[in-house]
Amino acid sequence: MPENNQQYLARTFQEQKGRLTSILTYYLGTEHLTVIEDLIQDTFYAALKTWPTNPPRSPEAWLITVAKNKAINYIKKSKNLSFSEQLDHLVFWNAEDVFSEKEIENSQLNLLFACSCLDLSEKNKIILILKLLGGFEASQIARVLVQGREAVFKSLQRSLKNLNKEKLKYYLDNPSSKNLETVNTVLYLMFHEGFQTYPENASRGKDLCHQAIYLTNLLIDRGIGQTDTLALLSLMYFNLARFDSRKSDLGSLILLENQDRQSWDKKLITLGFKYLQNSGSGFKLSPFHLEAAIASVHCSSDSFANTDWKKILWLYDRLIEIKTSPIILLNKAIVVYYLEGPEKAWGILEDIGQDPKISSYHLFYAVKGEIALHSGNQEIALSLFKQALSLTKSELEKELILGKIKEMKDSE
Amino acid sequence: MKDFILLLREDFDALDALSIDEMQELVESHMNWVKELVASGNFKAGDGLDKEGAVIASKSRLVTDGPYMEAREAIGGYYIIQAENLEQAVEISKGCPALEHNGSVEVRPIMVY
């Protein structure tokens, strides 16, 4: 019997659930997702009942085989003629052949494309992908995305209905470049969500980042991903490298300026550079290329003081030429602040403040407050910090802002 | 040493409502518990039971589908352990993970004659 169950169940049930959902959907079709969920639940129940006294040599293979058999039994019982082809396929082949690793990966990509190309908001797509491919439950998604459980639940119901009508098409046969762009964007946002929700939900946030990286890698391995996908992967690795350095041992937030660069993961940074280099082989310069390049400048600087702000500003200007958003401009303003001082940065902030999209973004006020403070406008800074405080949902960010306010009062 | 059978009565509704993490935890805790019993020399046998089955009524021999939907708790599995006496068997059974999820464990000596 194996020494350690933790090691033994190397792949978690959650991850397995995503894999089983993908492969069963591949065979049974998206219109049968409710049944698929039941089949998977039954599979885990069978594991609960048999593993304690008959531990399988390979838990993954065991789960796949049992899920496959349950699917066959279901099809036979349902007498649904539309299943006959799948039944032949499932019955006459071994689980090892039919549900091979390669086939599971194909099914995951297929489902990823199917979900990404639905007519839904990006947030709803992420929720759906986390549920189906990531094996996340509504309550976990709610925690990671800082949303109400009820809202996540409703979003899922709506999206599943949508997917139901769609039926699963074999997207992989002909992945159009437009679809690929959508998939890239969804993966980017998925990673971003995991990255920014971090402090309070460290492990779940990281799960999300890893899930996004896993799927991005899969796109590349299968030759579906293009140079922008490579740049995206590079960006993910650069960011993941400093994932843990954003929080102190005492649990408070640490800003980029004060992070211990020694603790950044060198291996991940190397991977970031590797993919950034590979991404340069095409003619297309995507926003991911520029964002990855910006991250690479931070990662290759040995201290905050030595940051090459000129290079970063140049990259931001190129980025803004092909894609602009108030958030990108906000980041540019920070760079301008370090390079040219608070007055110039303040001007940019005044401009983007007109955009209603940014008026509820707490970091906008936090950054503006910081710049006001450094221009000597204590009162304005204080009111901006208070605005940021009222908008953030993160306890750790609240703590950080309160610390700033206290510092200001102490120095008066 | 005597043999005892532990009948695990489980709340199937509670099991169905487990989250994926809780399910994994429960599987792991059962596996760990069995390992402990094997290590201490108290383990003899055990199996889980499928949810489906049949009940045959007395006299009429009427067969109905199990599991027994009316009863919140149905037998979900059994273990056979070895212990010095009932007291020790009960002490051991208090560690059974089935107790964590609204289940109960019935400890019965297997009759020797």
Side-chain angles (χ1 to χ4, degrees):
Chain A
M1 207 174 282
E3 299 266 336
N4 177 333
N5 274 337
Q6 291 299 327
Q7 255 174 334
Y8 183 61
L9 300 173
R11 278 200 162 130
T12 63
F13 273 24
Q14 187 191 324
E15 195 182 327
Q16 291 299 339
K17 192 176 180 190
R19 287 157 54 85
L20 292 175
T21 306
S22 302
I23 191 72
L24 289 177
T25 310
Y26 202 51
Y27 279 102
L28 303 183
T30 44
E31 66 270 37
H32 295 288
L33 272 167
T34 324
V35 170
I36 289 168
E37 189 137 310
D38 287 346
L39 292 175
I40 294 173
Q41 184 76 14
D42 280 354
T43 305
F44 287 132
Y45 176 81
L48 170 66
K49 288 300 164 190
T50 56
W51 288 12
T53 47
N54 287 304
R57 215 169 295 160
S58 160
E60 290 165 41
W62 189 98
L63 289 171
I64 294 274
T65 309
V66 171
K68 183 193 143 186
N69 291 338
K70 291 204 181 286
I72 292 172
N73 286 340
Y74 169 76
I75 292 176
K76 280 185 180 161
K77 255 197 249 167
S78 82
K79 297 197 176 86
N80 185 336
L81 286 175
S82 67
F83 280 139
S84 60
E85 203 179 310
Q86 286 99 315
L87 187 60
D88 286 349
H89 204 69
L90 287 170
V91 172
F92 294 112
W93 295 84
N94 295 322
E96 299 87 71
D97 298 327
V98 174
F99 285 12
S100 68
E101 191 63 28
K102 188 167 178 210
E103 208 181 30
I104 293 171
E105 288 175 3
N106 276 341
S107 71
Q108 286 176 306
L109 286 177
N110 213 39
L111 194 52
L112 174 65
F113 270 87
C115 295
S116 300
C117 299
L118 286 177
D119 187 17
L120 294 171
S121 77
E122 267 151 359
K123 193 88 163 184
N124 286 332
K125 283 180 193 173
I126 295 178
I127 291 174
L128 184 62
I129 289 172
L130 288 179
K131 160 85 179 161
L132 296 179
L133 283 137
F136 280 69
E137 286 171 64
S139 57
Q140 295 173 329
I141 299 173
R143 246 177 296 144
V144 179
L145 301 186
V146 200
Q147 295 222 316
R149 247 184 87 156
E150 217 26 51
V152 171
F153 200 74
K154 277 190 187 143
S155 152
L156 277 173
Q157 275 184 322
R158 251 179 288 125
S159 307
L160 286 171
K161 221 184 249 173
N162 240 308
L163 197 57
N164 238 325
K165 275 183 278 172
E166 195 72 9
K167 305 212 168 154
L168 191 66
K169 291 186 198 110
Y170 288 82
Y171 286 87
L172 286 186
D173 295 343
N174 186 17
S176 72
S177 62
K178 191 172 165 288
N179 285 354
L180 179 64
E181 252 172 54
T182 311
V183 169
N184 282 340
T185 307
V186 171
L187 292 175
Y188 169 79
L189 292 169
M190 201 166 136
F191 183 91
H192 187 72
E193 288 290 352
F195 194 73
Q196 71 166 13
T197 50
Y198 164 64
E200 283 83 0
N201 295 303
S203 73
R204 284 282 167 232
K206 218 172 186 179
D207 277 356
L208 231 168
C209 290
H210 280 295
Q211 184 74 30
I213 286 183
Y214 167 76
L215 292 169
T216 313
N217 259 313
L218 213 53
L219 278 177
I220 292 166
D221 285 349
R222 279 300 135 82
I224 298 168
Q226 301 291 327
T227 50
D228 47 350
T229 317
L230 288 163
L232 171 62
L233 187 58
S234 158
L235 174 63
M236 287 176 176
Y237 279 128
F238 282 132
N239 282 332
L240 193 66
R242 52 185 199 84
F243 195 95
D244 293 318
S245 65
R246 293 174 300 155
K247 198 169 156 186
S248 76
D249 294 340
L250 296 170
S252 50
L253 278 181
I254 308 179
L255 299 177
L256 182 63
E257 193 171 350
N258 303 318
Q259 284 170 17
D260 173 15
R261 290 179 186 232
Q262 288 305 313
S263 74
W264 290 1
D265 193 322
K266 309 269 172 330
K267 269 190 212 147
L268 293 176
I269 292 176
T270 311
L271 278 174
F273 276 109
K274 179 184 147 192
Y275 285 105
L276 185 58
Q277 226 161 26
N278 292 347
S279 74
S281 61
F283 293 103
K284 193 174 161 194
L285 186 66
S286 68
F288 300 136
H289 282 92
L290 291 158
E291 285 193 52
I294 291 167
S296 81
V297 178
H298 284 299
C299 283
S300 53
S301 170
D302 60 354
S303 71
F304 187 77
N306 290 336
T307 306
D308 188 348
W309 293 113
K310 267 192 187 149
K311 199 169 181 181
I312 292 180
L313 183 60
W314 186 85
L315 289 165
Y316 267 116
D317 284 333
R318 299 291 82 70
L319 177 60
I320 289 161
E321 282 167 14
I322 51 174
K323 173 191 165 190
T324 185
S325 79
I327 309 258
I328 293 173
L329 290 167
L330 175 65
N331 282 315
K332 182 190 162 174
I334 299 171
V335 179
V336 168
Y337 163 69
Y338 285 121
L339 210 55
E340 299 169 27
E343 284 75 27
K344 279 244 170 126
W346 186 264
I348 299 176
L349 291 175
E350 288 283 295
D351 285 346
I352 52 174
Q354 312 294 324
D355 195 318
K357 266 184 275 176
I358 200 125
S359 60
S360 61
Y361 188 50
H362 62 282
L363 284 182
F364 173 68
Y365 299 99
V367 169
K368 215 173 166 188
E370 191 72 31
I371 288 172
L373 186 63
H374 286 279
S375 332
N377 293 321
Q378 297 266 349
E379 249 170 70
I380 296 173
L382 187 64
S383 83
L384 286 163
F385 283 146
K386 279 184 180 160
Q387 227 165 334
L389 196 61
S390 70
L391 286 168
T392 180
K393 286 178 191 157
S394 156
E395 287 305 317
L396 289 172
E397 280 177 353
K398 276 183 194 160
E399 201 181 289
L400 193 75
I401 299 168
L402 282 171
K404 287 247 177 233
I405 294 175
K406 188 171 175 295
E407 230 174 80
M408 282 172 67
K409 289 199 169 140
D410 288 348
S411 65
E412 260 168 28
Chain B
M1 294 282 251
K2 291 180 191 156
D3 286 354
F4 293 84
I5 188 163
L6 318 185
L7 299 168
L8 277 51
R9 289 212 163 74
E10 291 176 313
D11 179 346
F12 282 84
D13 291 341
L15 286 187
D16 278 341
L18 290 183
S19 74
I20 193 98
D21 284 348
E22 290 167 333
M23 183 62 125
Q24 179 169 352
E25 221 173 274
L26 185 57
V27 174
E28 283 175 8
S29 57
H30 268 286
M31 290 174 82
N32 284 330
W33 193 58
V34 170
K35 256 196 288 178
E36 279 171 31
L37 292 181
V38 170
S40 62
N42 294 104
F43 183 78
K44 197 160 177 190
D47 276 305
L49 303 180
D50 222 322
K51 277 185 204 169
E52 281 153 35
V55 184
I56 302 154
S58 131
K59 287 185 188 145
S60 68
R61 300 290 187 272
L62 190 69
V63 179
T64 47
D65 288 347
Y68 329 91
M69 299 309 280
E70 315 78 41
R72 264 169 64 83
E73 292 186 342
I75 295 177
Y78 70 91
Y79 286 113
I80 295 175
I81 62 167
Q82 292 187 311
E84 289 299 335
N85 47 40
L86 183 64
E87 285 69 38
Q88 197 202 355
V90 167
E91 269 320 300
I92 292 172
S93 303
K94 282 181 182 168
C96 180
L99 297 168
E100 299 296 319
H101 294 276
N102 216 12
S104 63
V105 177
E106 182 173 332
V107 187
R108 302 285 295 273
I110 293 177
M111 207 155 86
V112 189
Y113 47 90

